[in-house]
Amino acid sequence: MKLVTLEDYIIKKQADFPYATGELTGLLSAIVLAAKVVNREVNKAGIADITGAYGAENIQGEQQQKLDVFADEVFMDALESQGQVCGMASEEQEDFIQFDSHVAQNGNYVVMIDPLDGSSNIDVNVSIGTIFAIYRRVSPIGQPLEMRDFLQKGDKQVAAGYVIYGSSTMLVYTTGKGVNGFTLDPSLGTFYLSHPLMQIPKKGKIYSINEGNYPHFSSGMKKYIAHCKELNPDSNRPYSARYIGSLVADFHRNMLKGGLFMYPATTTAPNGKLRLLYECNPFAMIAEQAGGLASDGKNRVMEIEPTGLHQRIAYFTGSEDMVKDVERFLKEDE
Ligand code: P6P
């Protein structure tokens, strides 16, 4: 098979990008560079003295793992020095950041990012990931950024993607013309096209949810879980339960095998846990581009009008038929 590098692919496909062709190349090259740097550190976290809680707490009130802080800084530096991006919002930062280098001030784009999602899994060697969404700024170029540049609906994403740091490191992204996956050859530091035009199987046999929260689920949610477990060979049930507890890993498995990832609202977390801007929307764009769906249980995620940088929503994404099934069960809760 002819080896296509990520750089070749971006150049070949940049004509698909609805804006100045060189802009996408620059944008993605910054992300690729940062991903390689983070990948190197993640791969040696077990031996280097940078694992373990950093001591500080991030905006979520969670213990910041040192790699969280490192990854946030690496992506921020790479994006700022590239020039197309004028600011970013991150899970690790309370407010958005306006890049002040003269290079970035006239950038057309802002980036929302979860620099290292699933970081609580770092110490147990479970796959973790970076999740990113790219938007064009809406306020005047060269002027101070405004919150409205970040509180944009998911439908306004010009690109979205994730990096999974696992048994192999992959970068998966879309610019609205399908989803492509690239695998890193660490000996060369080069990403190669390994999963062209990824499609999520319409029907899946895997349901992915933290059933430890069962006592806090709605009745409709409980009935859907019972539905997943029911013996019904004609509809491939009972499904298999798979929950890694690392969103990027759970989502990536469903991209390849089909399935439904769920993080519903509960009595203890009435808005769910996952973040709309830098977790749910990027994966929603990817899921839809791959023939799947992403819902908050009632509404299409990418139509939700954001109200805050760290806003949480209930989240259901993956195989089209399974998302529609769970929405039917949740309707009874209304
Ligand atoms: P729970 C990891 O901390 C994370 O943000 C996602 O990667 C993951 O899907 C979710 O939280 C797991 O949450 O409550 O099941 O441990």
Side-chain angles (χ1 to χ4, degrees):
M1 174 170 128
K2 183 177 177 309
L3 287 177
V4 176
T5 67
L6 174 53
E7 289 76 7
D8 294 342
Y9 191 85
I10 292 170
I11 289 167
K12 196 167 75 170
K13 291 293 179 182
Q14 64 184 5
D16 289 342
F17 196 57
Y19 302 100
T21 53
E23 292 180 348
L24 174 68
T25 308
L27 261 173
L28 289 173
S29 63
I31 288 172
V32 169
L33 173 63
K36 290 178 183 175
V37 173
V38 171
N39 176 64
R40 184 187 59 200
E41 294 310 312
V42 166
N43 283 347
K44 68 183 186 187
I47 48 171
D49 176 35
I50 61 171
T51 53
Y54 185 54
E57 281 193 352
N58 63 16
I59 166 130
Q60 328 296 340
E62 295 163 345
Q63 282 291 322
Q64 266 189 297
Q65 301 273 354
K66 284 182 177 177
L67 272 176
D68 271 348
V69 178
F70 173 80
D72 195 44
E73 288 166 5
V74 167
F75 277 96
M76 196 168 2
D77 293 348
L79 289 169
E80 178 163 26
S81 56
Q82 197 284 324
Q84 298 295 349
V85 179
C86 54
M88 107 179 190
S90 164
E91 182 185 35
E92 302 301 333
Q93 307 281 343
E94 189 163 351
D95 203 348
F96 66 80
I97 294 162
Q98 169 131 22
F99 293 152
D100 54 17
S101 74
H102 70 282
V103 171
Q105 273 168 355
N106 294 318
N108 288 313
Y109 300 90
V110 294
V111 173
M112 319 292 178
I113 190 164
D114 186 348
L116 207 56
D117 179 77
S119 54
S120 54
N121 293 295
I122 292 171
D123 291 344
V124 296
N125 213 5
V126 162
S127 299
I128 52 182
T130 298
I131 312 164
F132 62 89
I134 302 173
Y135 293 80
R136 282 186 73 91
R137 72 176 291 178
V138 292
S139 60
I141 289 180
Q143 299 299 311
L145 280 172
E146 300 168 29
M147 189 56 86
R148 65 186 172 119
D149 290 306
F150 297 91
L151 301 187
Q152 298 188 54
K153 286 184 182 180
D155 271 333
K156 295 291 187 186
Q157 293 173 112
V158 297
Y162 63 90
V163 185
I164 180 167
Y165 310 99
S167 51
S168 66
T169 293
M170 278 190 68
L171 185 143
V172 178
Y173 80 91
T174 181
T175 60
K177 300 275 184 184
V179 181
N180 292 287
F182 299 81
T183 300
L184 180 66
D185 175 339
S187 67
L188 298 174
T190 304
F191 280 98
Y192 289 102
L193 180 62
S194 53
H195 298 70
L197 294 178
M198 298 170 80
Q199 286 291 301
I200 304 178
K202 289 275 181 256
K203 297 181 185 310
K205 290 180 52 182
I206 294 170
Y207 75 104
S208 184
I209 189 169
N210 183 341
E211 290 198 55
N213 294 323
Y214 187 86
H216 310 301
F217 288 159
S218 68
S219 64
M221 193 67 248
K222 290 178 179 176
K223 285 180 183 158
Y224 179 71
I225 290 174
H227 170 79
C228 292
K229 296 179 174 178
E230 188 184 29
L231 181 58
N232 184 316
D234 292 345
S235 57
N236 286 318
R237 288 180 287 136
Y239 297 147
S240 294
R242 291 286 185 278
Y243 192 72
I244 302 170
S246 178
L247 175 58
V248 178
D250 279 313
F251 183 85
H252 185 66
R253 182 204 52 247
N254 289 350
M255 279 291 287
L256 299 176
K257 297 181 180 289
L260 176 64
F261 175 86
M262 298 170 273
Y263 209 105
T266 65
T267 49
T268 49
N271 296 315
K273 174 179 184 180
L274 300 180
R275 310 294 183 170
L276 172 60
L277 290 185
Y278 42 77
E279 292 173 337
C280 301
N281 267 332
F283 280 131
M285 181 178 187
I286 295 166
E288 290 196 1
Q289 282 290 314
L293 292 177
S295 162
D296 67 358
K298 277 189 285 192
N299 311 295
R300 181 173 167 264
V301 165
M302 291 208 283
E303 288 169 4
I304 295 173
E305 197 68 56
T307 53
L309 284 182
H310 304 287
Q311 168 182 0
R312 302 174 192 265
I313 63 165
Y315 196 50
F316 304 83
T317 187
S319 294
E320 179 182 353
D321 291 4
M322 297 182 80
V323 173
K324 289 176 175 172
D325 281 347
V326 71
E327 286 181 330
R328 271 199 303 279
F329 279 81
L330 294 174
K331 263 198 187 342
E332 75 151 61
D333 293 334
E334 289 174 6

